[in-house]
Amino acid sequence: MDTIASLFSFITTPVSWVIVQFHTVYGAIFGPDTGWAWGLSIVSLVILIRICLIPLFVKQIKSTRAMQTLQPEMKKIQERYKNDKQRQSEEMMKLYKETGTNPLSSCLPILAQSPFFFALYHVLNGIATGDTIGVINKSLLESAQKAHIFGAPLAAKFTDSSAKVESLGASLTDVRVVTAVMIVLMSASQFYTQRQLMTKNVDTTVKTPFMQQQKMLMYVFPVMFAVFGINFPVGVLVYWLTTNVWTMGQQMYVIHNNPTPGSKAQAAYLERLQKHVAHHGKTRNRRERAIVKAIVVKGRDRNEFERKFINGLTKAGLAAQADGSVEKSDGSAVAVAEDGTPTTTGAPKRQQPKRQSKSQRQSGGAKPAGDTEATTSATSLSKSDGPSDEPSDEPSDEPKDAKPAGAAGAKKAASKPGSGTRSKAQSSQRKGQQRPKSPSKK
């Protein structure tokens, strides 16, 4: 560890200068030789570094989400070229280039933080050995050696001997208890940060090897911190515990306000957003408008939680607009079906009458109710066209007791549904008007 720290000795001067400036401020309040002054100086150094690393943290979030989105495509490439590792690597690099993603972007905050971490370790190790480093002169060195945090000196380690600990003005029991508690808190905070990332902020609809890798890191990182923590000075443990707590709080803020699409955190966030928008009748700030706009633009690609959010706004009488705003909907509200397509829910459409087939039209069935008069007139017309049974004054050449064959045919035609009554009756009447046969002579 000392060899690695010496590689970053070029940055020990800026780090020691920042610590001394904070120590000047806190020393005036708590006293220059107290553990509060030196401990809060280290905590302030962490906060300053993490504030400067916020842009890298934002880039890390975007890169992590982009990698989660690419997991299905990466899995296809691995299955397609599982026997050709070189071609698999080439296709992976091509995919990264086309999408503009970088796998190393998720490690940027840790890589950028490493020089400050090792520089601080180099400074505290110099305090333990009695060497002046950077801007820390002899008087500041003596003040730092007198500083204790809960009875443990800043430069003491868990693995130090009792003689070395006594030379720093402390007992071995106090040092080991304080360092053990700090190591446990450091590992627990790291485990909780990784666990909330896996359980709340991961898209549950996609099962990829990336999720298994993150799950493995959730257990590996705390063990690594516990193993390396026993070799860290108390001041470095203060630094690392502070940065873990900052990371945990920062992660909780991101999960609460900007969750990963398809995750449980997004479902909880959209539920809260729906209640707020329904209560106020509008989106309250730019961030809410950006989220609503992103959901509207997705269209059919919305996930289950996003469709539920749009449907909830519709039930509340609101409609999400393309610019991210929310307006009151009119009588015909726009809802979203299960497949993501918008559907209009309002007054029912007027149903058109069913078109009859040719056989139905010929059979004369299923006539509309409005055509009652036409049906009645057609029936009366067909009856009037046929021969009447009432006596007529006109002379007839046919015998009285002989019924014309045409009348019988007309009645038979009229009794059959679906036949053209008028045309068949007229044709039968014409055919029936024939001369009676003369009686045969026997």
Side-chain angles (χ1 to χ4, degrees):
M1 183 65 72
D2 295 338
T3 305
I4 299 175
S6 62
L7 296 175
F8 295 93
S9 59
F10 66 92
I11 204 174
T12 55
T13 301
V15 169
S16 62
W17 183 84
V18 172
I19 292 178
V20 169
Q21 300 307 313
F22 282 121
H23 175 262
T24 304
V25 175
Y26 293 119
I29 301 174
F30 302 101
D33 299 336
T34 59
W36 287 103
W38 286 100
L40 290 176
S41 299
I42 297 173
V43 171
S44 300
L45 173 67
V46 175
I47 295 175
L48 179 63
I49 293 173
R50 295 308 299 264
I51 290 175
C52 295
L53 293 178
I54 286 178
L56 291 179
F57 180 74
V58 173
K59 191 172 182 179
Q60 178 193 16
I61 293 175
K62 294 180 179 180
S63 177
T64 303
R65 293 187 179 179
M67 291 296 294
Q68 290 176 351
T69 306
L70 291 180
Q71 289 304 310
E73 298 296 328
M74 295 171 62
K75 189 175 181 180
K76 291 180 182 179
I77 293 175
Q78 291 174 354
E79 292 178 353
R80 185 179 302 174
Y81 305 105
K82 58 182 179 181
N83 296 326
D84 191 352
K85 298 298 182 181
Q86 183 178 358
R87 181 66 183 278
Q88 185 181 120
S89 301
E90 293 175 357
E91 293 295 327
M92 288 288 189
M93 296 303 296
K94 183 179 179 181
L95 180 63
Y96 294 150
K97 187 176 181 180
E98 290 176 352
T99 56
T101 55
N102 187 2
L104 298 178
S105 297
S106 58
C107 303
L108 284 177
I110 297 177
L111 295 177
Q113 208 177 165
S114 299
F116 300 97
F117 170 78
F118 288 111
L120 179 62
Y121 179 87
H122 193 47
V123 170
L124 294 175
N125 190 55
I127 293 174
T129 57
D131 299 329
T132 57
I133 296 177
V135 298
I136 298 179
N137 52 28
K138 190 174 181 180
S139 61
L140 290 173
L141 179 63
E142 293 176 355
S143 175
Q145 287 179 340
K146 294 178 183 178
H148 291 69
I149 297 178
F150 300 108
L154 288 177
K157 304 177 185 177
F158 184 87
T159 56
D160 285 344
S161 61
S162 59
K164 186 174 182 180
V165 172
E166 289 175 359
S167 65
L168 295 173
S171 65
L172 183 62
T173 303
D174 292 340
V175 170
R176 291 192 173 179
V177 169
V178 171
T179 53
V181 170
M182 295 181 72
I183 289 171
V184 170
L185 292 176
M186 185 176 62
S187 301
S189 59
Q190 177 66 33
F191 176 78
Y192 181 78
T193 301
Q194 193 69 20
R195 188 176 185 276
Q196 71 173 348
L197 182 66
M198 287 298 302
T199 57
K200 295 181 180 180
N201 206 38
V202 173
D203 188 357
T204 56
T205 61
V206 180
K207 304 296 183 182
T208 60
F210 179 76
M211 295 179 61
Q212 299 296 329
Q213 180 183 1
Q214 294 293 320
K215 188 175 181 180
M216 182 182 65
L217 293 177
M218 181 173 65
Y219 297 98
V220 171
F221 275 153
V223 175
M224 291 176 59
F225 278 110
V227 171
F228 290 116
I230 60 177
N231 295 312
F232 290 162
V234 173
V236 174
L237 291 179
V238 171
Y239 175 92
W240 206 249
L241 178 60
T242 306
T243 192
N244 279 2
V245 173
W246 176 281
T247 303
M248 182 176 63
Q250 191 172 246
Q251 188 72 47
M252 291 175 66
Y253 176 82
V254 171
I255 292 175
H256 187 270
N257 294 283
N258 192 16
T260 301
S263 63
K264 294 180 180 179
Q266 190 198 28
Y269 175 78
L270 291 180
E271 185 177 355
R272 295 193 305 269
L273 180 60
Q274 177 190 331
K275 291 180 180 179
H276 290 317
V277 173
H279 178 71
H280 295 280
K282 61 180 181 180
T283 50
R284 297 172 297 175
N285 49 47
R286 187 190 308 175
R287 181 172 54 84
E288 290 184 356
R289 286 193 295 272
I291 291 175
V292 174
K293 180 180 178 181
I295 293 175
V296 172
V297 169
K298 283 186 177 181
R300 291 178 176 269
D301 296 331
R302 298 187 187 106
N303 56 43
E304 177 185 357
F305 310 127
E306 293 166 346
R307 290 196 296 268
K308 186 178 180 180
F309 170 74
I310 296 294
N311 288 331
L313 292 181
T314 303
K315 292 179 181 179
L318 301 172
Q321 306 299 316
D323 60 349
S325 61
V326 175
E327 297 180 359
K328 291 184 178 181
S329 57
D330 51 4
S332 56
V334 178
V336 180
E338 291 297 328
D339 58 350
T341 57
T343 57
T344 303
T345 58
K349 295 182 179 180
R350 183 180 178 183
Q351 295 183 354
Q352 298 291 337
K354 293 183 179 180
R355 186 176 180 182
Q356 297 180 352
S357 62
K358 185 176 179 181
S359 59
Q360 289 177 342
R361 290 197 301 273
Q362 289 181 353
S363 61
K367 292 184 182 285
D371 296 341
T372 309
E373 297 179 358
T375 308
T376 307
S377 60
T379 307
S380 60
L381 183 61
S382 62
K383 287 182 179 180
S384 62
D385 290 338
S388 178
D389 293 337
E390 296 179 357
S392 176
D393 297 335
E394 295 180 1
S396 176
D397 297 332
E398 297 178 359
K400 290 184 179 181
D401 31 1
K403 292 183 179 180
K411 289 181 179 180
K412 289 181 180 181
S415 64
K416 293 181 181 181
S419 60
T421 308
R422 180 176 179 180
S423 59
K424 288 188 177 183
Q426 290 180 350
S427 61
S428 300
Q429 187 176 3
R430 287 195 299 270
K431 291 180 180 180
Q433 294 176 357
Q434 297 177 359
R435 287 186 178 183
K437 294 182 180 180
S438 58
S440 57
K441 296 180 181 180
K442 293 183 181 181

